[in-house]
Amino acid sequence: AQSVTQLDSHVSVSEGTPVLLRCNYSSSYSPSLFWYVQHPNKGLQLLLKYTSAATLVKGINGFEAEFKKSETSFHLTKPSAHMSDAAEYFCVVSSQEISGGGADGLTFGKGTHLIIQP
Amino acid sequence: DAGVTQSPTHLIKTRGQQVTLRCSPKSGHDTVSWYQQALGQGPQFIFQYYEEEERQRGNFPDRFSGHQFPNYSSELNVNALLLGDSALYLCASVTSGRYTEAFFGQGTRLTVV
């Protein structure tokens, strides 16, 4: 079984200040972890992924996340927020167990709504 | 390269009716998963299809069924629609293998009235 908890439903920051979106996970197996972003009326876009390689993962648009096994966390950060970062962010976990034709279904957190103040 | 395409984009149905949603995976992908995203919630896994068979299923009733065709495209069928089935339905495609890097379509917005 696997689960994801996004600790904040809403985060508000000023443009140019750092962003921190928090995520804790639970997985019976060595997990793959992802952050996806969803802009209004758009599909989900992959920001970055962790798949048991480097624990500090760099993604698109200046985002990065650090996998901390001891804390079962995978927090998303960005040094300087931009207005275009306003969106819904989802932390996602998938077990690495091979099953069927591919990996298991993804388990999503409930999302964090990121608001950027001008 | 076309990504994941879904049709239709919007749909309105009446309670008790049946609906079929369609998905074409990204080129080179052979596995399709379906997700339901209720308003204000994260997507929830419905099921996954590979080699034209359902391989994994989430916690959804049998009213939700699917199909995968030889060209890897897929359909999601929902029978006896309930008001609670109103949601954004997302299709994701991956290449079968150890790691998941799912590409998502823009979704079908289903409204049940």
Side-chain angles (χ1 to χ4, degrees):
Chain A
Q2 54 199 26
S3 65
V4 174
T5 302
Q6 291 185 242
L7 299 169
D8 306 291
S9 59
H10 293 78
V11 169
S12 180
V13 302
S14 298
E15 189 175 19
T17 64
V19 175
L20 170 64
L21 305 183
R22 298 182 295 165
C23 171
N24 286 104
Y25 70 91
S26 171
S27 176
S28 303
Y29 305 98
S30 297
S32 292
L33 292 159
F34 311 82
W35 277 97
Y36 280 85
V37 61
Q38 188 176 38
H39 288 93
N41 301 315
K42 296 279 183 75
L44 290 158
Q45 181 184 20
L46 180 67
L47 278 177
L48 49 80
K49 64 178 178 179
Y50 165 79
T51 54
S52 76
T55 57
L56 183 62
V57 181
K58 294 188 184 299
I60 62 172
N61 300 335
F63 284 95
E64 63 181 39
E66 185 172 7
F67 173 71
K68 291 187 176 181
K69 186 175 181 178
S70 61
E71 299 176 10
T72 60
S73 69
F74 190 58
H75 301 334
L76 181 70
T77 60
K78 182 174 181 177
S80 176
H82 190 273
M83 293 300 291
S84 61
D85 295 328
E88 194 79 16
Y89 290 79
F90 293 98
C91 182
V92 182
V93 64
S94 174
S95 74
Q96 290 190 5
E97 182 187 25
I98 297 173
S99 60
D104 292 339
L106 303 175
T107 299
F108 283 73
K110 292 189 174 182
T112 297
H113 187 63
L114 178 61
I115 301 162
I116 311 296
Q117 306 281 0
Chain B
D1 171 31
V4 179
T5 58
Q6 292 186 243
S7 64
T9 54
H10 294 83
L11 204 52
I12 300 175
K13 289 287 190 178
T14 303
R15 270 182 303 176
Q17 284 189 316
Q18 178 264 344
V19 68
T20 297
L21 311 181
R22 296 176 176 81
C23 171
S24 292
K26 182 178 170 61
S27 177
H29 287 186
D30 57 8
T31 303
V32 173
S33 299
W34 287 91
Y35 293 81
Q36 181 195 66
Q37 185 178 17
L39 201 61
Q41 300 293 317
Q44 286 196 294
F45 174 66
I46 303 174
F47 45 53
Q48 181 186 82
Y49 274 83
Y50 171 71
E51 290 187 336
E52 302 179 45
E53 289 187 13
E54 183 182 298
R55 300 289 181 164
Q56 298 283 334
R57 190 178 183 93
N59 188 26
F60 278 81
D62 292 345
R63 297 188 297 109
F64 290 77
S65 64
H67 189 76
Q68 186 180 34
F69 299 93
N71 66 353
Y72 309 126
S73 67
S74 176
E75 289 182 349
L76 164 65
N77 301 294
V78 187
N79 294 322
L81 285 167
L82 304 173
L83 295 179
D85 295 331
S86 296
L88 180 67
Y89 288 85
L90 295 163
C91 170
S93 73
V94 296
T95 300
S96 59
R98 185 174 179 81
Y99 300 119
T100 307
E101 182 170 347
F103 288 80
F104 284 82
Q106 301 234 32
T108 294
R109 173 72 64 188
L110 172 65
T111 302
V112 182
V113 297

